Amino acid sequence: MAERYWRLDGEDVCAVFTRTSGAPGLIYLGAPLDPAEDLDAIATASARGRHESQADAPPPLSLLPVGGTGFLGTPALEILADGRGVTLDPVLTDIRQDAGEIAFTLKDARTGAEIELTWCRASAGILVASASLRNGGDMPLTVARLASLALPLPGWVSHVTRYSGRWAGEMRSETLPIPRAALAHDSRGGRPGFGGGNWLLAHEADAGMEHGRILGLHLAWSGDHASLVEGDADGRGRVLLGCRLDIGEIVLAPGESFDVPEVHIGFSDRGRNGLRHAMTGHVRHAVLPGRADWPPRRVHLNSWEALGFDMDEAKLMRLADDAAAIGIERFVVDDGWFGSRRDDRTSLGDWTVSPDLFPDGLDPLIAHVEKLGMDFGLWVEPEMVSPDSDLYRAHPDWCIHKPGADRPTQRGQLVLDLMRAEVADHVLCALDALLSAHRIAYLKWDHNRDLFPRTLKGHAQTLALYALIDRLRAVHPAVEIESCASGGGRIDYAMLSRCHRVWASDNNDPIERLRINTGWGPFLPLEVTGNHVGPSPNPVTGRRTEMDFRAKVAMFGHMGVEADPAAMTEEERASLAAHLALYKAWRGVLHGGDSYALDLREPGLFGQIAVDGEKALAIVARTDFAADFNAERVRLCGLDPAAIYRVRLIEPWPPKARHYLPDRDRWRDGLLLSGAYLAREGLALPLVHPETAWLIGIEKQ
Ligand code: GLA
């Protein structure tokens, strides 16, 4: 305990902690530091003196600020002892450090609360912080708040990029200076929700795609979060991230402990793309289950926007025929196959195949699908029950409810109480029976309502969900799972540690998807981001778009189709089939390489590149009509500046824009250009018309 400083060195990030009067402080977070750097000098160089309107000994911005100490911001820890509010005074009592982890133990003498704050090195530019609380006293302790991370923002952070959203409109980003107040973003629906408050970027004012310092912060938790960006009157910024608790939800008896979820902290001094590289690489190597052994991501056809509830064996077999004919590899039967579910008001919980739709069960359909060379996937929503279901009639008390009160529904459904062992066992048995009886390669695991009435069970329900998925995966490890919650309502790294992909949005309109996927881009690798070609007009926005545009946009993710090929024109089907073939040819690059956002400044222009060693594929898309015919040149990042590349515009070309392309033969054969030229000067492409997308294929010579 004699030391005053501790450093945690990652490959691309370093944190330096210091002893303060109470909890440890953070004096440095950023790029790797020279091992010889004098930490005491850094502490002095970064410290500010006291000013007039402060306590005589101002409390430092620590990793566990508490109230009532002269600290004027939002506390990271608030507890009630024996039901009454207390002022805490946690004192550092122990520090454990090994090469990759540092753990600080603090004790509060009055309540006996023992708090452990842990930071560890996870991937090249990623540190992971978490916390736990043990009741070492003799009174029950009620936890009102324990942040997983209370981060005093480094001085170079002047801005945050935060997210908001709604159903079919996830991840709308907004960049703001650190406010001189608190900017809270909590979720209260028992899941992260569409609002994206569990994701945050904190950065220098002018951090761009390729330059500048930036932090990415994410709470890996699938329940409610409490997130806060707070600036004080002196211009110092802080972030609090943790799970949001209802008072009374977590009450620790003497000897009991409570662990909060992890926060994943990414750092880059190479701008947003550097951070994206760090975060998505981390997801691949440290979050996803067995990512290194994944086979290529198969092209899905999902029945939802093709048939909706209007399904039966014959219709699905016909859809499967048409799917196979355009190159689909996995056939997914969405909602509507079970119980009496002919619309969304009934039968959740009755996970048995509907004999009306499938007189001989699912096997004939699965055999048909397999004969066509595809594997089979199925939609389920296991956490739910419809009041109009056999399950509910048999066990009306199995849903989360307030005894004697109304049971308010959302989408006509209620939430099962997974904390009850018999309920979780029942759901597990139902899913196990399905997976054991049929060759099912993939489950789309949906979750379509918020958690209410609140009965102090949000946190425990989330843990019960994890236990359920973990038990199912232990019995059926080969089955891939997608996390869907009416689209992107439950996307987080805790879910991703159990899943193979996420449904990024219910909105398949390519214009909206370009924006939504731009929001997910820094955090999710392309291979987990479900991205489908929907019908035209789009059922959510009503907008009509050309197949060429829809298909190109859907290639940059885990590609699928959510439309009926029989409802397309011959030309549209041919275009779709051509793009599915392109996706298969390039998915090794898209899913194995690093993906970067292209630095395009004009509104309405979106671009991305995936680079995998010798090969790269880029997309550049225009959503609206350009102000100038000479649209911005497309500069390609992520390439080796010294290498020469053959750069081709990959066909099929966008129907309207192709007429404005000069020297078509040369673009078809490929131009030989250096990585340096491509990064600095870029390509002049016909990007004038709305709903135009070009694919650029790049191969090292
Ligand atoms: C949710 C999902 C959709 C679809 C429907 C089925 O809304 O997000 O993709 O599966 O449920 O009811």
Side-chain angles (χ1 to χ4, degrees), residues 366-384:
I366 295 177
H368 186 78
V369 162
E370 289 180 343
K371 216 169 85 208
L372 291 165
M374 301 181 287
D375 65 14
F376 185 78
L378 200 62
W379 180 95
V380 286
E381 198 179 354
E383 297 148 81
M384 302 293 162

Side-chain angles (χ1 to χ4, degrees), residues 173-193:
S173 73
E174 178 187 23
T175 297
L176 317 162
I178 301 285
R180 299 270 169 152
L183 204 63
H185 198 163
D186 295 357
S187 70
R188 294 171 187 278
R191 55 184 183 178

